[in-house]
Amino acid sequence: MNKAGTAYILWLGCLLQLHGLHRLYNGKILTGLLWMFSFGLFGFGQVIDLLLIPNMVDEHNTKLRARQGWLPDGSLPTQPVIQRVVTVDAKPVPPQPMPNSLVVKLLKAAEARGGNLSVTQGVMETGASFAEVESTLLQMVRTGYVEITNDPKTGVVTYEFKEL
């Protein structure tokens, strides 16, 4: 993460005829080079940047956090980001309608377990295959009624039914 103090110190590089170092530091390459070759826009841009440096640093840090998958306040997201693409013979399988009987069985199994269910538990309760249970649970996640979490003790991926 960049710091405003460091950017101000680099701004002082203008005293050594090194204009625009603070802009390069904050990822503004084109304007940094422009400042460098035009003496900080003939000094005017350099002086105006005294007021703009805190925003430049914040903008750079926000972009950096976003690239790293962090929240804007610098914390990690609490929900894991899981993306799965089901493939058969290297071809993506389009989403299929959820079988209602399987959904009802999964709901009953989750209710019996306090609103949390793993794929293995779903398979044991319903008798369906792992692929069927997992794809059905993922489709339920897309509807917004189910969230994916990890069991704090075992780390197993569980599906949390918020309404149960």
Side-chain angles (χ1 to χ4, degrees):
M1 296 289 127
N2 286 1
K3 294 184 169 77
T6 305
Y8 279 114
I9 290 171
L10 291 171
W11 180 90
L12 287 173
C14 70
L15 300 175
L16 300 171
Q17 300 302 313
L18 295 172
H19 302 273
L21 292 178
H22 60 286
R23 287 186 162 268
L24 294 171
Y25 174 68
N26 286 304
K28 297 187 176 290
I29 306 299
L30 291 176
T31 57
L33 293 173
L34 178 66
W35 258 239
M36 204 172 268
F37 294 114
S38 66
F39 302 104
L41 287 179
F42 306 106
F44 295 112
Q46 196 75 18
V47 172
I48 291 172
D49 277 354
L50 277 174
L51 301 172
L52 299 179
I53 283 177
N55 289 336
M56 273 190 245
V57 171
D58 288 342
E59 180 182 331
H60 174 75
N61 290 341
T62 301
K63 287 180 184 176
L64 185 61
R65 285 184 193 114
R67 267 188 261 136
Q68 293 175 347
W70 294 11
L71 297 175
D73 64 355
S75 62
L76 290 171
T78 55
Q79 283 288 5
V81 178
I82 298 174
Q83 294 180 341
R84 292 187 187 194
V85 176
V86 178
T87 59
V88 175
D89 297 328
K91 294 180 183 176
V93 176
Q96 299 170 3
M98 291 186 280
N100 288 334
S101 62
L102 182 56
V103 171
V104 172
K105 289 178 183 177
L106 290 171
L107 285 169
K108 288 180 181 177
E111 184 178 30
R113 289 177 169 75
N116 292 321
L117 187 68
S118 72
V119 175
T120 304
Q121 292 167 339
V123 169
M124 290 175 21
E125 287 290 323
T126 63
S129 71
F130 278 93
E132 289 174 319
V133 171
E134 186 173 29
S135 67
T136 303
L137 287 170
L138 288 173
Q139 287 179 354
M140 293 170 82
V141 167
R142 289 186 202 112
T143 65
Y145 294 109
V146 180
E147 291 183 4
I148 298 175
T149 60
N150 289 82
D151 185 274
K153 294 177 185 174
T154 63
V156 172
V157 174
T158 59
Y159 295 83
E160 183 177 354
F161 294 73
K162 291 293 189 177
E163 295 182 3
L164 295 180

